[in-house]
Amino acid sequence: MMFISEKKKFSEKIAYLISLLTTPPLLSTLIISYLIIWYPELFYPISRRFALIISIIFLFVIPSFPILVKVYWGDFDFFISDRKKRGVYFRVTSVSYTSGAIISWAFESYILMIYHITFLILIFIISLLNHITKVSLHVSTAMCAITFVSSIIRGINPLLYLIVLLIIWARMKIKAHTFPQIIIGLIVGYFSPELSIHVLDFVEKLLLT
């Protein structure tokens, strides 16, 4: 019995570590960085370095800042487990993603602009659903980023989808979400990239009429 208990504790520690290493700001930044590093021509006319700087600032640094401050002051835990306290994160990330999209557009890096808009739409949908249930930000972020990248390069390393499975296991293991919350996260994450394209097409047609 003691062996089983120790094994359970170890698996929970692994699950917690996976959750920590795949926080939405970090994961969204790492996955777009993969695209920037291996396919820098997609972000022309800006350089690889500048694309990385924009991504790090508006996808990671600014979204992470309120979490770190709130955790430091003990207002909530690192994963914002309390659904009612997620509002701060939603507001800050919305402003950050919008700013990143505007700057990317100003420098004519349209793939990077669409990526920021995709996450803006993702966070908007989840913020609406948050009134009903605590959708998994970890799972939706992973699914959104990987789906976006795979649609851009028309195929992707299957190992990246393994990240989604690991995150699902981790979030379920530490009881951060229910199974329906995980499924909703997968659905929202999968369709957000396509939805962002439709939104941009609609806005473009609206401006041209």
Side-chain angles (χ1 to χ4, degrees):
M1 290 296 292
M2 186 178 293
F3 173 75
I4 295 172
S5 178
E6 288 298 322
K7 187 177 179 181
K8 184 179 179 181
K9 287 180 181 178
F10 177 75
S11 63
E12 286 176 352
K13 287 179 180 178
I14 295 296
Y16 184 86
L17 181 61
I18 291 171
S19 295
L20 198 61
L21 293 174
T22 57
T23 55
L26 179 59
L27 191 60
S28 60
T29 307
L30 288 175
I31 292 177
I32 194 63
S33 296
Y34 163 86
L35 201 61
I36 293 169
I37 290 169
W38 291 102
Y39 302 92
E41 66 278 4
L42 293 173
F43 302 89
Y44 181 84
I46 66 174
S47 67
R48 179 186 295 168
R49 180 179 297 178
F50 191 38
L52 285 171
I53 289 171
I54 292 173
S55 301
I56 290 168
I57 291 173
F58 295 103
L59 293 170
F60 178 67
V61 175
I62 297 175
S64 298
F65 184 72
I67 299 176
L68 296 174
V69 171
K70 291 287 186 179
V71 169
Y72 178 79
W73 290 108
D75 293 337
F76 51 61
D77 64 275
F78 195 77
F79 300 123
I80 323 178
S81 300
D82 188 343
R83 176 169 59 91
K84 295 178 181 178
K85 294 183 178 181
R86 284 174 142 192
V88 175
Y89 177 77
F90 292 145
R91 289 190 293 272
V92 172
T93 50
S94 295
V95 172
S96 187
Y97 296 155
T98 302
S99 302
I102 292 171
I103 289 173
S104 300
W105 169 79
F107 285 96
E108 300 181 352
S109 182
Y110 298 117
I111 295 295
L112 196 56
M113 178 195 74
I114 295 170
Y115 190 76
H116 281 85
I117 291 173
T118 296
F119 274 94
L120 178 62
I121 288 171
L122 175 74
I123 214 72
F124 175 72
I125 295 171
I126 292 178
S127 67
L128 292 178
L129 292 172
N130 194 62
H131 295 288
I132 304 169
T133 187
K134 194 181 79 170
V135 179
S136 175
L137 276 166
H138 279 74
V139 172
S140 59
T141 297
M143 197 64 186
C144 180
I146 292 170
T147 302
F148 180 91
V149 171
S150 64
S151 66
I152 294 297
I153 62 176
R154 304 296 178 185
I156 197 168
N157 191 330
L159 290 176
L160 283 178
Y161 281 103
L162 182 61
I163 295 173
V164 179
L165 296 177
L166 283 172
I167 293 171
I168 291 172
W169 172 81
R171 303 307 284 161
M172 294 289 288
K173 184 67 180 179
I174 62 177
K175 296 180 173 62
H177 297 283
T178 61
F179 187 68
Q181 290 169 345
I182 295 290
I183 295 300
I184 295 170
L186 282 171
I187 293 169
V188 174
Y190 181 80
F191 286 105
S192 289
E194 186 176 350
L195 184 58
S196 68
I197 298 298
H198 288 302
V199 169
L200 287 170
D201 284 342
F202 175 77
V203 171
E204 185 179 17
K205 288 175 182 176
L206 200 65
L207 292 173
L208 291 174
T209 54

